[in-house]
Amino acid sequence: MINNKKFILFSFFLAIQFSFSQSVLGRWKTVDDETKKEKGIVEVYEKEGKIYGKIVEILEPQNRNKKCVLCEGSDKDKPILGIVFIKGLTKEGSEYNGGEILDPKNGKLYKCYITLVSKDKLKVRGYLGISLFGRTQYWYRVK
């Protein structure tokens, strides 16, 4: 009987670990799709059933103190470090969409979807109108 309980407990913790490793939640290293340079670390988190992303580290020293001067609304002149730039995604199948992503370089908001390519690789697409017109980046899980 004890071995059966240990097996059930082990299986439970294994399932939790597996489900977390298959999640978009966590910290991701961003890589610029044009320059291929590592840009920063983003924390993807859930709040009230929606997915958000916040810049928690900027890897380029010259950009660490920049503000979002071209942003509008409540993001205007906020420090880029700490800004919530992925907003309000919801899960639909294997994809998270229906929200927006902010490009701090130009201050514009785009429609967005994210999806896991593998447990440690995230596809992030920002676009205007339909997803055909946009940019894709691949981010890598920080371990």
Side-chain angles (χ1 to χ4, degrees):
M1 188 69 155
I2 291 175
N3 285 338
N4 197 17
K5 286 182 182 178
K6 285 182 180 178
F7 176 75
I8 290 170
L9 191 59
F10 174 75
S11 298
F12 174 75
F13 286 113
L14 188 63
I16 289 173
Q17 180 64 28
F18 178 76
S19 67
F20 184 74
S21 69
Q22 297 297 313
S23 170
V24 298
L25 304 179
R27 290 182 174 235
W28 297 90
K29 185 177 290 186
T30 65
V31 178
D32 188 283
D33 57 303
E34 295 170 347
T35 67
K36 306 300 182 213
K37 285 186 175 181
E38 296 177 347
K39 305 292 268 183
I41 307 294
V42 170
E43 183 175 351
V44 177
Y45 61 96
E46 184 176 352
K47 180 180 173 187
E48 298 175 1
K50 298 202 181 243
I51 299 296
Y52 296 85
K54 175 168 76 172
I55 299 171
V56 294
E57 189 175 340
I58 296 174
L59 300 176
E60 299 169 311
Q62 70 275 17
N63 293 329
R64 288 191 180 132
N65 296 318
K66 286 193 173 181
K67 295 186 181 214
C68 200
V69 294
L70 298 176
C71 291
E72 296 179 358
S74 63
D75 290 328
K76 177 85 174 141
D77 294 323
K78 271 191 178 175
I80 292 173
L81 183 61
I83 201 166
V84 176
F85 76 112
I86 295 175
K87 303 174 183 191
L89 301 178
T90 55
K91 186 168 185 170
E92 188 175 305
S94 63
E95 187 175 279
Y96 293 81
N97 58 37
E100 299 175 314
I101 188 166
L102 170 69
D103 184 344
K105 282 185 191 174
N106 62 23
K108 293 184 180 181
L109 284 170
Y110 299 93
K111 290 181 180 180
C112 174
Y113 75 82
I114 62 176
T115 188
L116 279 176
V117 174
S118 68
K119 71 179 184 121
D120 293 328
K121 187 176 181 181
L122 186 68
K123 178 181 179 181
V124 180
R125 180 134 180 101
Y127 58 94
L128 289 170
I130 59 174
S131 70
L132 183 64
F133 303 109
R135 286 176 44 194
T136 299
Q137 290 185 349
Y138 291 94
W139 298 352
Y140 301 90
R141 190 179 299 277
V142 175
K143 297 187 178 194

